[in-house]
């Protein structure tokens, strides 16, 4: 099995992995000079913006390198990449990271983390150093798209720098067949330089065929040898592959197995055995070692692992498995044995190895299979004496044999006899005589070697004998004649005291009956009880008798006494109290269960009780009268009322009963309190009593009241009406008389068109109960407050004072200040004016400041600030 994944392998210092896996932060060799170019993302993704997303990966040597020390020299002539002084894309130097470019690095690192990998990008500015032995990535523009190339499979730390923005065209020629085919890249540092050249006609597509497609990468060894890959829109890193290979059989214990592992993209690997007790490696740090199988190892499965590991401590592996054949086969054909010549022998051979199996015999007989470990051996008919069974196994590591001796024995004779003559059931026991003693008899009537003819019939008797482990048997029938049959019968059915006499009928006539109640062949059931009757019969010297019990049952008592004979309908069930239980009660011909009568329906009922005990019967009757209940229903004019409604007159359909319940007096119900109430009417007629209940609902009548604000209202300004009553759920407002507007919400607003007095009416309801109210409200003219901005206190009686024009103002305060903040006037009424003087002295011409706080009769408030100019 071969596995592929893309990551930068970093091997930790551990003796379990092949070298080089120590030093630095990454796997693989370290450059001898200050850095090496190892790959170029030539054909980047992001469409027309490809040139801003190209990348170059470097491997830093044993010395940290200052970022600002890198540069791209001027290129001369054709065959160079499009970069450097004089090229279409000049070398612009590396940019320091800013918030936007750091955000791009964060986006990439978050994506790597979300994918479950441990790689990380570390941004470097110009004054920082790329660490020794580190992986170093150059991105050709700060305007790169962080989503254009995937970093998700990164398993290493990658130090990143970004060229200053400005180069929008591509730096590297994509696949084409034009000349020149080579493109050379030179990167300088103050400590060293490196040069690589790639062939644009060798770039490959994502399906690994040559051609142009996003993701084309050129890779380079430290010596500058080029190769090409395409892993799609991903960073230019080497894909890791690993394969434990295959091995070829046979594998005998003590031999060596040649392993054929392969790995690309890392040198951090090691060979491991799943079970180290099964053998050892010639070298665990090379791809093609020998695995030496332990000598004497049995038939087992061996699994070997080729294991790789990254800097993230992520370990993965591939395996190769093979089965070992033992070099020394342990086999056993089984133990020598003796069997009867007619017996099939089950063989139990064992072997610790795999291989072709063959069974053979030295004599006659056959095997159920000659190619399995444990077949059956079937001796030939009439065969006896000694026979040898041979077991042979051919394995990849040699041929092995074993055998066992089987002795076949002849079967003994199982014949036997008994005394001649007829046998009668109940006769004397007799001995059975075998030809060869020492065996065992079995069968009905046999105990040891003695047979007892206790009953008639044909009795199979078996004799089994075993000699030297060989067994045989024979079975013979012994016939015993039957005794005469003394059985007799009498008429079927139950017998009760007082039934007529009946005859007894023997199966075979000629015998004699005897017993209480018997005269000749007749039995008289005059009393109850169990009576033994015996019949004795003798035929041809064989006598037998039979005694049977004739049972005569007593007559049952069907009397019963009901707990009541006169009841009201739907009364509790009546116990019928039979003297003797077990019978059935009927009304007419209809049977009902139990010993109780349910008086649900009025009427006269004749109850019959039939009882049958052991086939003997009796019957009796009783009459029960069920009277009808009176009609206790009553009428209501309504079931829903409002508090304050008139009292309700209660009337029974059948008069003469009594009403009861909350707020019920006589036959009147007072709906004065809200709630749900049950009214009961009870009526008694004769022995029956009944009552009925009806429920009425009393709803709390709502109250209609309201307030409004402002008081008074202002013309053309909304007046807020607020419902102040209780329990109302529906509302109807009417404004004016005649009506100039209406509303049906709880708290409406309404603007009256002009000043005056208006009638406002409110209707409220809840579940059918109503109330209303009305009020006359005053509406005044809208308030006005006008402030002039200039006055001329020069004594000409024209505009000599500063004052406001006001309408509908109920509170008013004014303060006037000079330009230095000194107060020169204060007034508390719209009628007060300023004459341009302070402490009776004229104020100079200037601009003065006023502050006005006022409130209208509609509660509208004013807070005014402004200037007024004094001119003379």
């Amino acid at each position: 099995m071969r596995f592929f994944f893309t990551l930068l392998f970093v091997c930790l210092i551990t003796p379990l992995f092949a070298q080089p896996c120590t030093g630095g932060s990454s796997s693989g060799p370290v450059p001898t000079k200050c850095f090496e170019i190892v790959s170029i993302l030539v054909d980047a993704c992001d469409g027309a913006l490809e040139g801003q997303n190209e990348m170059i990966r470097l491997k830093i040597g044993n010395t940290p390198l200052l970022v600002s020390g890198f540069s791209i020299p001027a290129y001369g002539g054709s065959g160079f990449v499009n970069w450097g002084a004089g090229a279409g894309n000049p070398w612009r130097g590396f940019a320091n990271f800013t918030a936007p470019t750091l955000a791009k690095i964060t986006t990439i690192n978050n994506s790597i983390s979300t994918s479950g990998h441990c790689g990380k990008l570390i941004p470097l500015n110009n004054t920082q150093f790329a660490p020794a032995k580190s992986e170093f990535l150059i991105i050709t523009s700060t305007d790169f798209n962080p989503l254009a190339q995937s970093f998700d499979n990164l398993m290493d730390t990658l130090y990143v720098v970004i060229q200053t923005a400005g180069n929008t065209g591509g730096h590297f020629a994509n696949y084409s067949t034009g000349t020149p085919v080579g493109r050379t890249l030179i990167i300088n540092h103050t400590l060293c330089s490196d040069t690589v050249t790639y062939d644009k006609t060798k770039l490959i597509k994502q399906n690994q065929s040559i051609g142009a497609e996003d993701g084309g990468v050129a890779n380079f060894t430290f010596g500058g040898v080029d190769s090409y890959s395409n892993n799609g829109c991903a960073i230019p890193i080497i894909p890791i592959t690993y394969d434990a290979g295959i091995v070829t059989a046979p594998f005998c214990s003590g031999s060596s197995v040649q392993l054929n592992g392969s790995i690309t993209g890392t040198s951090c690997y090691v060979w491991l055995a799943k079970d180290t007790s099964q053998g050892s490696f010639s070298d665990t740090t090379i791809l093609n070692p020998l695995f030496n199988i332990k000598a004497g190892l049995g038939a087992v499965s061996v699994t070997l692992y080729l294991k790789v590991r990254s800097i993230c401590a992520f370990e993965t592996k591939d395996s190769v498995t093979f089965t070992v054949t033992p070099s020394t086969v342990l086999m056993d054909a089984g133990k020598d044995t003796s069997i009867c010549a007619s017996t099939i022998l089950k063989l139990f051979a064992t072997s610790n190895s795999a291989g072709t199996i063959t069974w053979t015999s030295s004599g006659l007989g056959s095997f159920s299979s000659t190619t399995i470990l444990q077949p059956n051996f079937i001796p030939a008919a009439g065969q006896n004496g000694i026979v040898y069974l041979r077991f042979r196994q051919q394995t990849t590591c040699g041929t092995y044999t074993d055998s066992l001796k089987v002795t076949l024995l002849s079967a003994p004779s199982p014949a036997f006899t008994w005394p001649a003559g007829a046998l009668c059931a109940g006769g004397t026991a007799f001995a059975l005589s075998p030809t060869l003693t020492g065996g065992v008899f079995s069968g009905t009537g046999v105990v040891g070697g003695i047979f007892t003819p206790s009953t008639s019939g044909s009795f199979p008797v078996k004799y089994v004998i075993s000699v030297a482990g060989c067994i045989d048997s024979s079975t013979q029938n012994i016939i015993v004649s039957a005794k005469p049959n003394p059985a007799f019968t009498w008429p079927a059915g139950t017998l009760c005291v007082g039934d007529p006499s009946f005859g007894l009928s023997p199966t075979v006539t000629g015998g004699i009956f005897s017993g209480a109640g018997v005269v000749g062949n007749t039995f008289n059931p005059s009393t109850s009880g169990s009576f033994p009757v015996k019949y004795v019969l003798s035929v041809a010297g064989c006598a037998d008798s039979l005694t049977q019990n004739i049972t005569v049952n007593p007559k049952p008592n069907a009397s019963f006494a009901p707990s009541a004979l006169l009841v009201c309908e739907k009364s509790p069930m009546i116990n019928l109290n039979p003297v003797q239980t077990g019978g059935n009660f009927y009304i007419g011909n209809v049977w009902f269960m139990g010993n109780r009568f349910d008086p649900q329906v009025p009427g006269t009922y004749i109850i019959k009780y039939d009882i049958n005990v052991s086939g003997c019967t009796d019957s009796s009757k009783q009459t029960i009268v069920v009277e009808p209940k009176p009609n206790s229903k009553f009428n209501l004019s309504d079931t829903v009322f409002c508090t304050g409604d008139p009292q309700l007159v209660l009337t029974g359909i059948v008069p003469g009963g009594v009403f009861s319940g909350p707020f019920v007096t006589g036959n009147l119900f007072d709906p004065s309190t809200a709630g749900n109430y049950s009214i009961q009417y009870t009526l008694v007629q004769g022995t029956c009593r009944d009552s009925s209940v009806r429920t009425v609902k009393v709803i709390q009548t709502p109250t209609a009241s309201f307030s409004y604000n402002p008081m008074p209202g202002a013309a053309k300004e909304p007046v807020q009406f607020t419902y102040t009553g209780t329990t109302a759920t529906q509302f109807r407002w009417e404004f004016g008389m005649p009506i100039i507007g209406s509303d049906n919400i709880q708290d409406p607003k309404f603007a009256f068109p002009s000043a005056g007095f208006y009638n406002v009416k409110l209707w409220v309801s809840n579940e059918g109960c109503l109330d209303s109210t009305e009020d006359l409200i005053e509406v005044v003219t809208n308030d006005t407050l006008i402030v002039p901005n200039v006055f001329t206190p020069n004594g000409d009686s024209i505009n000599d004072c500063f004052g406001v024009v006001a309408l509908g103002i109920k509170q008013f305060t004014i303060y006037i200040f000079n330009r230095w903040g000194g107060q020169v006037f204060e007034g508390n009424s719209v009628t007060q004016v300023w004459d341009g003087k302070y402490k009776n002295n004229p104020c100079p011409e200037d601009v003065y400041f006023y502050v006005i706080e006022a409130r209208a009769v509609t509660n509208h408030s004013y807070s005014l600030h402004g200037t007024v100019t004094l001119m003379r």
Side-chain angles (χ1 to χ4, degrees):
M1 181 182 297
R2 181 176 294 272
F3 294 86
F4 296 90
F5 57 94
T6 304
L7 50 83
L8 289 174
F9 258 94
V10 178
C11 299
L12 303 179
I13 301 175
T14 167
L16 293 178
F17 287 87
Q19 296 297 328
C21 280
T22 60
S25 63
S26 301
S27 63
V30 178
T32 55
K33 59 184 181 180
C34 71
F35 75 91
E36 291 280 357
I37 301 171
V38 294
S39 64
I40 301 171
L41 177 57
V42 176
D43 196 343
C45 298
D46 211 18
L49 302 179
E50 171 191 351
Q52 300 173 162
N53 291 275
E54 296 164 330
M55 301 180 188
I56 306 98
R57 186 165 59 89
L58 311 181
K59 181 73 174 184
I60 306 301
N62 289 307
T63 302
L65 297 183
L66 180 65
V67 171
S68 62
F70 284 98
S71 63
I72 306 297
Y75 294 144
S78 62
F80 288 87
V81 300
N82 182 27
W83 205 358
N89 289 328
W91 165 246
R92 297 183 178 274
F94 293 135
N96 288 330
F97 279 86
T98 63
T101 51
L102 286 174
K104 294 181 181 182
I105 299 301
T106 299
T107 296
I108 294 172
N109 283 336
N110 287 343
S111 179
I112 297 171
S113 176
T114 300
S115 70
H117 294 100
C118 66
K120 185 176 183 181
L121 300 185
I122 299 179
L124 295 178
N125 291 326
N126 279 289
T127 58
Q128 294 178 290
F129 286 81
K133 304 178 184 178
S134 66
E135 296 283 345
F136 188 76
L137 184 69
I138 298 172
I139 302 177
T140 54
S141 176
T142 57
D143 290 334
F144 81 101
N145 179 0
L147 304 178
Q149 270 69 231
S150 172
F151 287 72
D152 286 355
N153 284 331
L154 185 62
M155 299 289 284
D156 199 357
T157 298
L158 202 55
Y159 292 87
V160 182
V161 294
I162 311 178
Q163 184 183 213
T164 301
N167 293 351
T168 58
H171 301 76
F172 305 102
N174 293 344
Y175 171 84
S176 67
T177 57
T179 57
V181 298
R183 290 289 186 270
T184 298
L185 169 65
I186 302 173
I187 299 180
N188 291 334
H189 193 272
T190 54
L191 299 183
C192 69
S193 171
D194 193 30
T195 301
V196 294
T197 300
Y198 71 91
D199 185 340
K200 65 189 178 91
T201 66
K202 294 181 180 179
L203 291 170
I204 63 175
K205 297 190 291 186
Q206 294 174 19
N207 64 3
Q208 308 307 304
S209 65
I210 293 176
E213 190 172 7
D214 287 350
V217 173
N219 303 300
F220 306 96
T221 66
F222 289 172
V225 177
D226 56 321
S227 61
Y228 302 88
S229 61
N230 190 321
N231 294 315
C233 293
I235 55 176
I237 55 179
I238 300 172
I240 305 300
T241 67
Y242 57 97
D243 189 349
I246 58 175
V247 293
T248 305
F251 308 106
C252 298
S253 59
S255 65
S256 297
V257 179
Q258 177 65 58
L259 301 175
N260 299 287
S262 61
I263 290 181
T264 62
T266 181
S267 56
C268 195
Y269 62 86
V270 68
W271 281 99
L272 299 171
K274 182 177 181 181
D275 185 348
T276 56
S277 68
Q278 295 175 332
S280 61
F281 295 92
S282 62
D283 187 345
T284 61
T285 63
I286 62 175
L287 286 173
N288 302 309
L290 293 176
F291 180 75
N292 301 312
I293 303 172
K294 182 180 178 180
L297 192 65
V300 296
S301 177
V302 176
T303 299
L304 307 177
Y305 298 110
L306 178 59
K307 196 171 187 180
V308 297
R309 191 170 77 181
S310 74
I311 192 173
C312 303
F314 170 76
E315 296 184 356
T316 186
K317 62 192 176 189
D318 191 24
S319 64
V320 60
T321 300
F322 55 87
T323 301
V324 174
T325 300
S327 297
T328 301
V329 176
L330 301 177
M331 61 186 303
D332 184 359
K335 295 181 179 180
D336 295 345
T337 186
S338 298
I339 64 171
C340 187
S342 60
T343 301
I344 296 175
L345 174 64
K346 173 67 176 179
L347 299 173
F348 292 96
T350 60
S351 174
N352 68 343
S353 180
T356 303
I357 293 170
T358 305
W359 282 96
T360 58
S361 170
S362 64
L364 301 177
S366 62
F367 296 90
S368 60
S369 174
T370 60
T371 60
I372 62 175
L373 271 174
Q374 298 180 351
N376 292 331
F377 174 68
I378 303 97
Q383 183 180 10
N384 55 33
I386 296 174
V387 62
Y388 292 93
L389 307 181
R390 296 184 178 88
F391 169 41
R392 180 176 182 273
Q393 185 175 27
Q394 179 69 47
T395 73
T396 55
C397 299
T399 301
Y400 303 88
T401 61
D402 194 15
S403 64
L404 74 158
K405 180 177 72 173
V406 179
T407 302
L408 302 177
L409 304 174
S410 299
S413 172
F416 66 96
T417 61
W418 60 90
L423 300 177
C424 187
T428 304
F430 54 85
L432 302 171
S433 302
T435 302
L436 185 62
T437 61
V440 177
F441 284 100
S442 62
T444 302
V446 176
V447 177
I450 304 300
F451 179 81
T452 301
S454 57
T455 60
S456 62
S458 178
F459 300 92
V461 175
K462 184 176 182 180
Y463 182 59
V464 179
I465 186 168
S466 174
V467 177
C470 189
I471 301 173
D472 200 1
S473 66
S474 67
T475 300
Q476 301 186 64
N477 287 328
I478 298 177
I479 306 300
V480 179
S481 299
K483 285 185 177 182
N485 183 3
F488 63 94
T489 62
W490 57 90
T494 302
L495 297 178
C496 301
V497 173
D499 284 351
S501 298
F502 56 85
L504 302 172
S505 302
T507 302
V508 179
T509 60
I512 299 174
F513 287 99
S514 62
V518 177
V519 177
N521 290 354
T522 302
F523 179 81
N524 182 13
S526 58
T527 59
S528 63
S530 181
F531 301 93
V533 176
K534 182 177 183 180
Y535 182 59
V536 178
L537 179 65
S538 178
V539 176
C542 289
D544 201 2
S545 66
L546 175 64
T547 300
Q548 300 188 73
N549 286 329
I550 298 177
T551 300
V552 180
N553 296 317
K555 189 175 183 179
N557 184 355
S559 299
F560 67 99
S563 59
L565 297 175
L566 176 64
V567 295
C568 188
E569 69 170 304
K570 299 184 180 177
S571 293
M573 297 185 76
I574 298 172
N575 291 320
L576 299 177
N577 301 318
V579 173
Q580 187 173 352
T581 60
N584 295 317
F585 285 95
Y586 296 84
I587 299 176
N589 293 322
V590 179
W591 166 77
F592 61 90
M593 293 180 63
N595 295 338
R596 297 196 298 171
F597 171 70
D598 190 1
Q600 290 295 309
V601 180
T604 299
Y605 299 89
I606 298 175
I607 310 297
K608 180 183 178 184
Y609 183 55
D610 290 344
I611 186 168
N612 184 320
V613 178
S614 301
C616 298
T617 64
D618 195 15
S619 177
S620 68
K621 295 179 181 180
Q622 295 275 9
T623 299
I624 297 177
V625 177
V626 179
E627 294 183 334
K629 279 189 176 183
N631 183 358
S632 63
K633 294 184 179 179
F634 61 97
N635 296 322
L636 293 176
S637 60
D638 201 350
T639 58
V640 179
F641 304 90
C642 299
T643 56
D645 283 354
Q647 288 188 338
L648 173 65
V649 177
L650 306 171
T651 304
I653 293 176
V654 177
V658 177
F659 288 97
S660 62
F663 303 103
V664 174
T665 303
N667 65 336
L668 297 177
F669 169 70
D670 183 11
S672 59
T673 304
N676 293 322
Y677 304 104
S678 295
I679 300 174
Q680 180 170 303
Y681 182 55
T682 303
L683 184 63
V684 177
Q685 287 184 338
T687 60
C688 291
R689 173 190 180 94
D690 198 16
S691 63
S692 63
V693 177
R694 296 191 65 180
T695 300
V696 297
K697 181 177 184 180
V698 181
I699 300 169
Q700 182 66 47
T701 301
T703 58
S705 63
F706 64 89
S707 63
Y708 59 92
N709 185 51
M711 299 175 62
K716 298 182 180 179
E717 293 292 332
V719 177
Q720 175 67 60
F721 291 89
T722 303
Y723 172 63
T724 59
T726 60
T727 70
T729 59
Q730 295 176 316
F731 306 87
R732 170 69 179 178
W733 297 82
E734 291 183 353
F735 305 104
M737 182 66 70
I739 298 173
I740 60 174
S742 62
D743 209 333
N744 58 2
I745 66 173
Q746 178 174 315
D747 300 316
K749 291 181 179 180
F750 187 77
F752 294 91
S754 59
F757 289 89
Y758 292 87
N759 189 69
V760 176
K761 189 167 185 179
L762 169 64
W763 285 269
V764 296
S765 65
N766 63 346
E767 300 183 81
C769 296
L770 306 173
D771 193 21
S772 66
T773 187
E774 58 184 297
D775 198 1
L776 191 66
I777 72 169
E778 181 184 3
V779 177
V780 298
T781 305
N782 284 344
D783 50 277
T784 303
L785 184 60
I786 302 173
V787 184
N789 61 4
V790 65
F791 74 112
T792 57
N794 54 12
D796 62 358
S797 299
I798 300 174
N799 201 20
D800 282 337
C801 296
F802 171 69
V804 299
V805 177
L807 182 64
I809 301 299
K810 65 180 180 180
Q811 296 175 357
F812 179 84
T813 303
I814 184 170
Y815 302 93
I816 300 177
F817 305 90
N818 61 24
R819 67 172 55 247
W820 296 280
Q823 182 176 320
V824 297
F825 177 78
E826 177 181 347
N828 295 305
S829 172
V830 294
T831 60
Q832 288 181 275
V833 297
W834 181 41
D835 60 2
K837 295 178 181 180
Y838 177 64
K839 294 184 179 181
N840 251 354
N841 295 315
C843 293
E845 290 187 342
D846 205 345
V847 176
Y848 292 84
F849 302 89
Y850 64 82
V851 175
I852 296 173
E853 298 291 337
R855 182 172 296 277
V857 294
T858 62
N859 285 327
H860 177 209
S861 62
Y862 293 85
S863 182
L864 305 177
H865 306 265
T867 62
V868 59
T869 303
L870 188 155
M871 301 175 62
R872 297 194 184 273

